[in-house]
Amino acid sequence: MRTAAYGSWLSPVDAALAAAHDGQPEWPAFVGDEVWWTEPRPAEGGRRALVRRLVDGTQESVLPAPWNVRNRVIEYGGRPWTGVMSDGPLVVFTHFADQRLYRYRPGDRPRPLTPVSPRGGGLRWAEPRIDLARGEVWCVLEEFTGAGPGDVRRVLAAVPLDGSAADDRGAVRELTDDRHRFLTGARLSPDGRRAAWLVWDHPRMPWEGTELLVAEVADDGTLGPPDTVAGGPQEAVAQVDWSADGRILYTSDRSGWWNLYCDGAPLCPREEEFGGPLWKLGLSWFTPLDNGLIAVVHGRGPTALGILDTASGELVDAAGPWSEFAPALTAHSTGSGTPAGAAGGCGRVVAVAAGPRTAYEVVELDTASGRARTIGARHRDPVDPAYYPQPQVRTFTGPAGREVHAHVYPPHNPGHAAPDGELPPYVIWAHGGPTSRAPLVLDLAIAYFTSRGIGVAEVDYGGSTGYGRAYRERLREQWGVVDVEDCAAVARALADEGTADRARLAIRGGSAGGWTAAVSLTTTDVYACGTIVYPVLDLATWGPGETHDFESRYLESLVGPRAEVPARYAGRSPTEHAGRLTVPFLLLQGLDDVICPPAQCERFLARIAGRGVPHAYLTFEGEGHGFRRASTMVRALEAELSLYAQVFGLDVSDVPELELHR
């Protein structure tokens, strides 16, 4: 055991290793008896590959680079592929570069089903579902009608499977009108005679209020007038599906918690979440089985995979090393023409899961035996697990005695110890969203710091999901207040209890977390420096016209109606208070970001010019909202470590020194 100052410990977890393992598998589904999913490829320009697991257990990447199975619907995207068995696998997917829908059979080349948009990627498709009987692909269509981010319409649409719409927009059959601003893909009842989907409108976000619509499906494939079955302005329905016997299933937070309902009756009422925020179209927190059971992702904070007996209300969780299950459940389908991801009764449920010592994997649960096993994207330790961070699940006390949930990762390295009496530096991590939360999973970006002797605390500040509607609504009209207070409360508590060095505290965050970091640096004296990543910085401009349509009215609930409280928008913006900033900071920004565009950073930097505040501004070509390329992530992590080394006086020699400007 070597004695060395915190922050100077030698670690095998370098930035390249952390970048190579960034991201997680997504969108698993069955194609016949096979399981397919998408995986990140940071070293291949950040594309997402489609991966196939054959029945013999072997795996293969289906489409070579540069195919990128991803879409930009509502900018955050949605389910990008589906598949069925029809004389072998038949897959339909969206390609990120042109946003077109493609048809693909292994051994053949992808063939376009939709036209190139005259507005670049202005025709976008999500949640495809193959209808072999009609020769169509049903999906969500997002269509831009003008040059602005708000010039957009969204409808349910049917795309011919024969490719006749590849050069003809008019060949796409629209199933609904565009009276609602946002909608999810349709789920068909087992007999195919009814369709159910969710809708919502500005200024609501889908975790604030949605409506569940149900319509009859005519023999010619048209939809009748829809009825509103559940939901409303103060009730968020997160997902809808059908039981095997044709009853409607959905998750609603009408009780204050996202619980599961069948034809309006609660199935397992608990103060737990059986749903979550709909940041992407097609997320799945539950999937019904043919035998009447329902596989569910549920929990309070961390989540588990359980099987719910709807008759008795009994819920039995799968055993395993996983503490976090993503909203990506799918069950085996019976019948060759059944869409991937539809309900099935063969006892196989597939999920995406991770734990504190396990990265996200594709996991299969045999409902008959209760045995769960990893079947894809298997975690393999890239370094000795002794270097992994060791999380502590904590609840702190915030202002007015409110609870603040957090995960604390103390410095940890099996070969190093700090000198007696030294306290470690800590970085407070503010997650994005802000309607999100920090998952309790192995993250090598956290290990990058903790294994060097820098502590990390991830804060689920008020506004986070996973703890009921009241907890997330603490942030209503309080963005820039409650989130900042809660992060500061955790930082101060760590210092007060002797866990962290009060003089060496930092804050970092991306997107909404970048906002929280920036506000914290301009309104508190808690932190010695900060890292701000693709942030919101200027409330007066971040809205219609400068950000994407999905979140363009989000500030109405986060801050207040713009017309009624204009002073609040200026009063909370870091750009307006740049003169209060006195500590060093690092600003990281993707130049292709349309959600938090570079203009936000540029206005902020203009306000601090000439004030003598040490800072660095790094931009990355080809990166949008969320870094995906290995080279970007390496540069960002090394720059962040160099910032802390310079501010905290750490001995770091294995990363390039970040040049700080004044």
Side-chain angles (χ1 to χ4, degrees), residues 251-300:
T251 50
S252 165
D253 69 350
R254 64 179 59 157
S255 70
W257 297 83
W258 270 304
N259 278 191
L260 192 59
Y261 293 81
C262 179
D263 283 346
L267 291 178
C268 185
R270 294 188 179 191
E271 290 190 348
E272 290 185 15
E273 304 284 37
F274 290 73
L278 197 64
W279 280 102
K280 296 182 179 182
L281 303 186
L283 298 180
S284 177
W285 290 269
F286 71 88
T287 188
L289 311 179
D290 277 350
N291 58 8
L293 302 178
I294 304 176
V296 296
V297 168
H298 71 103
R300 189 167 182 157

Side-chain angles (χ1 to χ4, degrees), residues 124-129 137-142 153-159 169 172-180 182-188 195-199 213-215 217 221 223-224 226 281:
R124 304 173 181 178
W125 317 83
E127 290 198 75
R129 188 191 66 81
V137 183
W138 284 29
C139 49
V140 172
L141 162 60
E142 180 178 80
R153 61 191 297 269
R154 299 176 184 88
V155 297
L156 294 178
V159 176
R169 165 65 180 85
V172 175
R173 186 167 66 92
E174 296 193 6
L175 300 168
T176 63
D177 57 30
D178 57 3
R179 72 181 66 184
H180 293 291
F182 303 97
L183 75 170
T184 66
R187 303 291 296 179
L188 291 183
W197 66 99
L198 306 179
V199 298
L213 304 185
V214 176
V217 182
L223 298 181
L281 303 186

Side-chain angles (χ1 to χ4, degrees), residues 188-206:
L188 291 183
S189 59
D191 61 8
R193 294 185 174 275
R194 289 178 293 166
W197 66 99
L198 306 179
V199 298
W200 68 97
D201 293 284
H202 282 318
R204 283 181 279 154
M205 300 302 289

Side-chain angles (χ1 to χ4, degrees), residues 22-23 46 532-534 587-591 593 618-620 623-630 632-633 636-637:
D22 187 79
I532 305 168
V533 190
Y534 37 83
L587 192 54
L588 303 169
Q589 178 67 46
L591 293 179
D593 194 339
L618 303 184
T619 60
F620 302 95
E623 292 283 16
H625 199 67
F627 299 152
R628 295 176 177 271
R629 299 178 177 182
T632 301
M633 291 183 278
L637 275 175

Side-chain angles (χ1 to χ4, degrees), residues 499-510:
T499 297
D501 185 342
R502 186 181 301 275
R504 296 193 293 175
L505 295 172
I507 187 167
R508 70 103 82 165

Side-chain angles (χ1 to χ4, degrees), residues 391-402:
Q392 301 171 357
V393 179
R394 300 280 303 273
T395 301
F396 294 88
T397 301
R402 65 178 181 249

